[in-house]
Amino acid sequence: MKVRNSLRSLKNQPGAQVVRRRGRLFVVNRQNPRLKARQG
């Protein structure tokens, strides 16, 4: 999982979902599980 300032490029990938957990923004992708990130 990467920690990034901006999730814009990851959330535009096909299959990406933006999820809010514990007050943080996460991007998870079931089609391509390598593209996981959290913001900040």
Side-chain angles (χ1 to χ4, degrees), residues 1 7 10-21 25-38:
M1 175 171 303
L7 300 178
L10 286 167
K11 76 178 184 187
N12 290 335
Q13 300 284 337
Q17 279 183 309
V18 180
V19 186
R20 198 173 183 101
R21 291 183 190 153
L25 272 176
F26 291 83
V27 171
V28 291
N29 196 324
R30 291 214 171 117
Q31 288 182 20
N32 192 349
R34 292 187 311 148
L35 299 177
K36 285 195 296 198
R38 88 170 163 82

